């Protein structure tokens, strides 16, 4: 192998390594971008079961049926009580945000008017309905239902987590649909 071929081979290898590093760095930066939206969707998908848990959770300091030391049973009961209180607090906050979101949607003059009701029927309503029934109820296609739900998840994420956590999501985001709330893309 000649000197030129060795140099070209090393140059090519370095260029490939740099390109891979840059790609991995960009990929790493973009992954947390949608985490808050996923968290919002996860909370809403589990809303009914979390509500049921807060109503039905039972904990007592008397754990006779369990084979635990006396101190362990107190820690166990305290841990359950703290988890229950945290869940109640989060659900109370989500309920507050949902009531605000309902008002926000009712003031809208476009398709956003039904977004709250789509979220309600999909995740909050005690009567569980499938996607086709909900789409038919609002006279929209199944694809439109999911497109509207995605837009609603983004808006709810913004309301739940606030501007600081959501700034990166809304900059140049395809689902961001209300120009009154757009952020400057000047960093």
């Amino acid at each position: 192998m000649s000197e030129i071929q060795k140099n070209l081979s090393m140059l090519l290898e370095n260029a490939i390594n740099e390109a891979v590093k840059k790609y991995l760095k960009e990929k790493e930066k973009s992954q947390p971008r949608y985490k808050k939206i996923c968290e919002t969707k996860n909370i809403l998908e589990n809303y009914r079961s979390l509500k049921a848990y807060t109503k039905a959770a039972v904990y007592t300091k008397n754990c006779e049926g369990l084979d635990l030391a006396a101190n362990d049973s107190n820690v166990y009961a305290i841990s359950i009580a703290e988890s229950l209180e945290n869940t109640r607090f989060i659900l109370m906050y989500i309920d507050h945000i949902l009531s605000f979101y309902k008002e926000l949607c009712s003031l809208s003059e476009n398709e956003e008017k039904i977004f709250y009701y789509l979220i309600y029927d999909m995740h909050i309503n005690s009567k569980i309905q499938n996607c086709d029934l909900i789409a038919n109820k609002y006279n929209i296609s199944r694809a439109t239902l999911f497109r509207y739900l995605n837009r609603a998840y983004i808006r709810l994420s913004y309301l739940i987590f606030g501007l600081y956590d959501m700034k990166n999501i809304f900059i140049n985001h395809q689902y961001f649909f209300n120009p009154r709330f757009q952020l400057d893309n000047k960093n």
Side-chain angles (χ1 to χ4, degrees):
M1 198 185 261
S2 73
E3 185 77 26
I4 296 173
Q5 287 177 334
K6 285 181 184 178
N7 286 341
L8 283 174
S9 178
M10 277 183 28
L11 233 116
L12 185 60
E13 187 177 325
N14 287 340
I16 290 171
N17 287 337
E18 288 300 315
V20 168
K21 284 179 188 177
K22 187 174 181 177
Y23 169 76
L24 292 175
K25 188 176 180 180
E26 288 297 318
K27 185 177 178 185
E28 186 179 303
K29 281 173 43 179
S30 68
Q31 283 178 343
R33 191 171 175 188
Y34 297 104
K35 186 176 180 186
K36 298 298 182 188
I37 296 171
C38 292
E39 288 174 3
T40 300
K41 189 174 180 182
N42 192 22
I43 290 169
L44 291 172
E45 286 175 346
N46 292 293
Y47 183 88
R48 291 183 190 106
S49 57
L50 289 170
K51 278 289 195 182
Y53 163 71
T54 59
K55 291 178 183 173
V58 176
Y59 63 94
T60 177
K61 291 184 180 180
N62 184 6
C63 301
E64 294 172 14
L66 299 174
D67 187 21
L68 299 171
N71 290 339
D72 289 343
S73 64
N74 284 338
V75 169
Y76 183 71
I78 291 169
S79 175
I80 293 172
E82 287 175 356
S83 173
L84 181 63
E85 288 307 309
N86 288 339
T87 304
R88 283 184 178 148
F89 176 77
I90 290 168
L91 288 176
M92 185 175 64
Y93 178 68
I94 296 298
D95 288 340
H96 174 73
I97 294 296
L98 286 170
S99 67
F100 177 75
Y101 186 63
K102 182 179 181 179
E103 290 179 34
L104 187 67
C105 288
S106 69
L107 297 174
S108 178
E109 296 177 4
N110 56 17
E111 68 269 3
E112 190 180 356
K113 213 174 220 10
I114 65 167
F115 286 7
Y116 168 80
Y117 296 104
L118 295 175
I119 291 288
Y120 179 82
D121 286 341
M122 193 75 165
H123 301 294
I124 311 300
N125 192 352
S126 59
K127 181 182 175 190
I128 298 173
Q129 301 175 28
N130 68 27
C131 301
D132 294 326
L133 289 175
I134 295 170
N136 287 339
K137 179 178 178 181
Y138 295 100
N139 198 24
I140 57 177
S141 71
R142 186 181 167 108
T144 301
L145 169 68
F146 287 113
R147 191 173 66 248
Y148 286 177
L149 284 171
N150 284 335
R151 289 168 58 179
Y153 295 142
I154 291 170
R155 179 55 61 90
L156 282 169
S157 297
Y158 176 75
L159 295 173
I160 291 169
F161 297 107
L163 177 64
Y164 182 76
D165 286 338
M166 298 302 295
K167 181 179 178 187
N168 291 333
I169 290 173
F170 290 120
I171 294 175
N172 294 326
H173 196 280
Q174 64 177 344
Y175 291 121
F176 193 63
F177 53 94
N178 194 336
R180 291 181 298 162
F181 295 102
Q182 281 186 342
L183 303 173
D184 283 339
N185 195 6
K186 300 173 185 171
N187 291 334

